[in-house]
Amino acid sequence: MNPLSATLSRVKPSSTIAVSTKARELKEAGRDVIGLGAGEPDFDTPENIAAAGIRAIQEGKTRYTAPDGIIELKQAVCAKLKRDNALDYIPSQISIGTGGKQILYNALMATLNPGDEVVIPAPYWVSYPDMVLLAGGEPVIAEASMQTDYKLTADQLEAAITPKTKWFIFNSPSNPTGAGYNWDELKALTDVLLRHPHVLIMTDDMYEHLVYGDFEFCTPAQVEPQLYDRTLTCNGVSKAYAMTGWRIGYAAGPEWLIGAMRKIQSQSTSNPCTISQWAAVEALNGTQDFIPKNNAVFKRRRDLVVKMLNDAEGIQCPTPDGAFYVYPSIAELIGKTSKGGTVITDDEAFATALLEETGVAVVFGAAFGLSPNFRVSYATSDAALEDACTRIQAFCAALR
C-alpha cells in the first residue's frame, strides 16, 4: 500500500532548488563550484528595512495578526499600486502571503476544479504548472520562441483558450528569460482576453522594478482597465528589495477572490511572519533610492554575461529587458560530445556535463518548458560571472 497522496504523483520537485542544492553539496565536498541557479539578489536587505524588522521585535510586534496580513501593510500595498501602476485598491482587496508563491497557490486552490485549464506561456517559472496540478487543474502550455524574444503572441494566446480555461498566468519581466512585454505587446494580449470573459488573469509582477534601458514596466489591469475585476495582480518584496528570506508576497484583486484566498490561508499557514510584515511596510513606504543603484549593477552584469555567452561556440543569447536571468539557446550543440565523454542529447545533459566537468551550475531549459536552452542567474558578483562564462566558453570549445 502506498501511503502517499495520488496528487503528489502529479508534481515534481523544483528544478531550480535542486540545482542550488546540488551546487551547495559539491561546494561542501570541496569542489570549486560557481552556482548560477539561484534566483535571488546577492545584495543585503537595505538597512532601513532591516532596522524596521529589528524595531518590530523590540516593540513586541510578535503576536498573531489577521490571517492575510496587517492593515498597515495592506495600506502600503494600496499606496504602491496607486503610485507605481495607477491602480486603485482598498485594503479588503489585498492579500498578504508568505512569499509570492503562497499567493499564487492560494488563488489556484481557491478557484480550480477538476478539468479546469490554466494557460501558461513557456518558458515559464518552474512552479506554475505544478501548482496548477496540485490544485486539481490542467496546465495548458503555450510555447513562445526565441524568434519572438520568448514572448507570447496574441494568436498563440487565442489558440490556447478553450471553454475550460479558468486562468491565464502572465509574468513580465519573465523568469526564466528576462523578457518584458511593452504596452503595445501587452495590449494585444489583453484584447484577446476581453473576448473571453470567463478567463481570469493572474499576473506575476515580481520583477517589476528590475528593468533596464528604455523598457517601461506595465501590468494587465493598468493596460486594460476593463480587466480589473477579473485580474489578480501579484507581487512581493523578494527581488527588488533583496528580501527573499523574509518571505512576503502580496496580491490585489476582486474582494470575492481575496476572501476565498483568506479562507485557504486561515486553514493552512495563517498569518505571515509579523517581523517580515513590518519590514515590508518600510520597504514599500520608505526610500526607493537603492533600486536604480542596484539595477545599474544588474545591467552591467547582464551585458557582461550576454556578450560572453554569445562569444561561446554554439550558444545564442538574447538580451533581456529585465529580471536577472538570461536564457540562451544551445540548439547548435545538440549531438556533440563533451571532453569528458558526455553526449549532449538535450539541455539536461548539457547542464549535467557542465557542472561535472567545469563546476558551473545552471538550470536546464526543460525545467522551464522550452528546450534546448539553459538559464543563468546573473545575481552574483562580476568576478564569479566572468569566471563562469570563461569556463562555459572553454566547455563549448572542447565539444566535438
Side-chain angles (χ1 to χ4, degrees), residues 36 146 150 176-179 212 298-313 315-329 374 376-378 385-386 388-390 392-393:
L36 302 181
M146 196 165 67
Y150 301 121
T177 68
Y212 314 114
F298 281 136
K299 181 180 182 299
R300 184 182 72 234
R301 294 171 176 176
R302 178 201 68 173
D303 295 343
L304 167 70
V305 169
V306 168
K307 181 182 186 307
M308 291 191 73
L309 290 180
N310 278 322
D311 286 344
E313 292 183 33
I315 290 181
Q316 289 180 282
C317 184
T319 302
D321 301 301
F324 36 65
Y325 311 106
V326 293
Y327 199 67
S329 167
F374 65 97
V376 164
S377 167
Y378 53 85
L385 292 170
E386 190 164 356
C389 289
T390 300
I392 292 172
Q393 289 175 346

Side-chain angles (χ1 to χ4, degrees), residues 313 337-339 357 392-400:
E313 292 183 33
T337 301
S338 74
K339 190 174 181 180
E357 297 180 30
I392 292 172
Q393 289 175 346
F395 178 81
C396 293
L399 292 172
R400 294 291 179 266

